[in-house]
Amino acid sequence: MPRYGGPEVLTLVEEDEPVPGHGEVCVRVLASGVSFTDSLLRAGTYPGGPKPPFTPGYELAGIVQRVGPGCSTLQPGDHVAALVVWGGYAEMVCVRESLAIKVPDDVDPAALVSVIFPYMTAYQLIHRAARAEPGETALYHGAAGRVGVALLELAEPAGLRVYGTAATSDCALVERLGGVPIDYTTEDFLTRVRALNGGGVDVAFDGVGGPVSLRSYRALRRGGRLVRLPRCRATPVPSGVSRTRRSRPISGMPPRPTDESSPAFRGREVIEGFRRAATNAVLVVVLEMDLPGGRTFGAATGGARMNMRRVSWIGNASRCGSKTCCDTIVI
């Protein structure tokens, strides 16, 4: 990208093949994700993002081509996934070996890349932001979306019972994934969770903001935690909610960690979730757009409705048969 903007500013650039440095592997990219975060990077509004010119692409899946000196885990031919934040829209990318997670080679890269970011986010929400304990209850808004599906699947091994708001057509999916659906078109979530023992949930995950944040806060039992997802982090704390009230603390998603010892990079712990999602419930949309010179750029994304910029929708690559993700793809 020579400048900030929409997909129309993407250009093809021919460069020499990168050479992996010490502790790095060179990955041949098989699939790159298209996500809301990529639109923030393109617009220049992602915190800590690069300045043009740069190559976008937050997540990727590919095959290790070469390894640099000092590598001991990966070998050429290994299938890997990585969150590079930017740089994924390239044919070859050098990644630190410690951040390239080996993945099953029998999973379609397009399906795999669509769940890397959501599953990492869901894992952090449960274990790092909320520090949820087995036996606790949680409320998640939009539970049939990308992160919602991931959170429902990771909640089961974590021993977390999740009440998920969803549209009528998506409630069956929430229930199938182990959640307790709340149809937001016919039922008030606050009334529903306040009827629970303890008068509410232990954790409320809020990715909506505004009045929903206040109502989510009120859905907490005493000692509960409100976790506000990144997309609403910039919105002010709703009137009537105190950050310092000890019985109901508020937190946002923690800053992106910088070393592999942090939970954000414990990708091996959710690889089985990747496999399950890629073969069962993941909703994948394949996108394609024309670039100068007659070349096309293809990418994949998972989940439901996304709000980015326009490119053409060319097909549903999922094996679950759901059409949820095919509604209003406006990129």
Side-chain angles (χ1 to χ4, degrees), residues 12-37:
L12 278 175
V13 177
E14 300 287 341
E15 294 182 340
D16 294 333
E17 191 171 301
V19 178
H22 188 276
E24 291 183 336
V25 297
C26 184
V27 178
R28 177 166 60 87
V29 179
L30 299 179
S32 296
V34 176
S35 68
F36 176 67
T37 304

Side-chain angles (χ1 to χ4, degrees), residues 65-129:
Q65 293 293 103
R66 295 189 306 279
V67 300
C71 293
S72 59
T73 303
L74 297 175
Q75 302 294 330
D78 286 344
H79 288 244
V80 296
L83 297 172
V84 292
V85 186
W86 60 84
Y89 294 176
E91 293 179 314
M92 305 287 286
V93 178
C94 287
V95 183
R96 285 169 54 190
E97 183 190 38
S98 56
L99 304 185
I101 307 302
K102 191 173 180 179
V103 297
D105 59 8
D106 59 345
V107 176
D108 185 340
L112 178 64
V113 80
S114 71
V115 294
I116 300 170
F117 199 5
Y119 272 74
M120 180 276 293
T121 302
Y123 183 88
Q124 287 197 76
L125 285 171
I126 294 172
H127 297 285
R128 189 161 171 249

Side-chain angles (χ1 to χ4, degrees), residues 9 13 17 30 35 41 45 95 120 126 152 156-157 216 237 240 257 264 302-303 326:
V9 306
V13 177
E17 191 171 301
L30 299 179
S35 68
L41 286 165
T45 57
V95 183
M120 180 276 293
I126 294 172
L152 287 171
E156 182 179 356
S216 299
V237 175
C326 303

Side-chain angles (χ1 to χ4, degrees), residues 42-61:
R42 290 200 315 262
T45 57
Y46 185 79
K51 294 182 179 180
F54 69 93
T55 300
Y58 199 107
E59 61 258 291
L60 63 85

Side-chain angles (χ1 to χ4, degrees), residues 101-104 116 119-120 122-124 126-128 150 153-158 260-276:
I101 307 302
K102 191 173 180 179
V103 297
I116 300 170
Y119 272 74
M120 180 276 293
Y123 183 88
Q124 287 197 76
I126 294 172
H127 297 285
R128 189 161 171 249
E153 292 203 315
L154 294 181
E156 182 179 356
E260 61 272 19
S261 64
S262 68
F265 296 125
R266 294 177 188 165
R268 294 168 184 84
E269 300 183 34
V270 295
I271 287 300
E272 192 55 39
F274 287 173
R275 179 191 291 273
R276 177 180 174 188

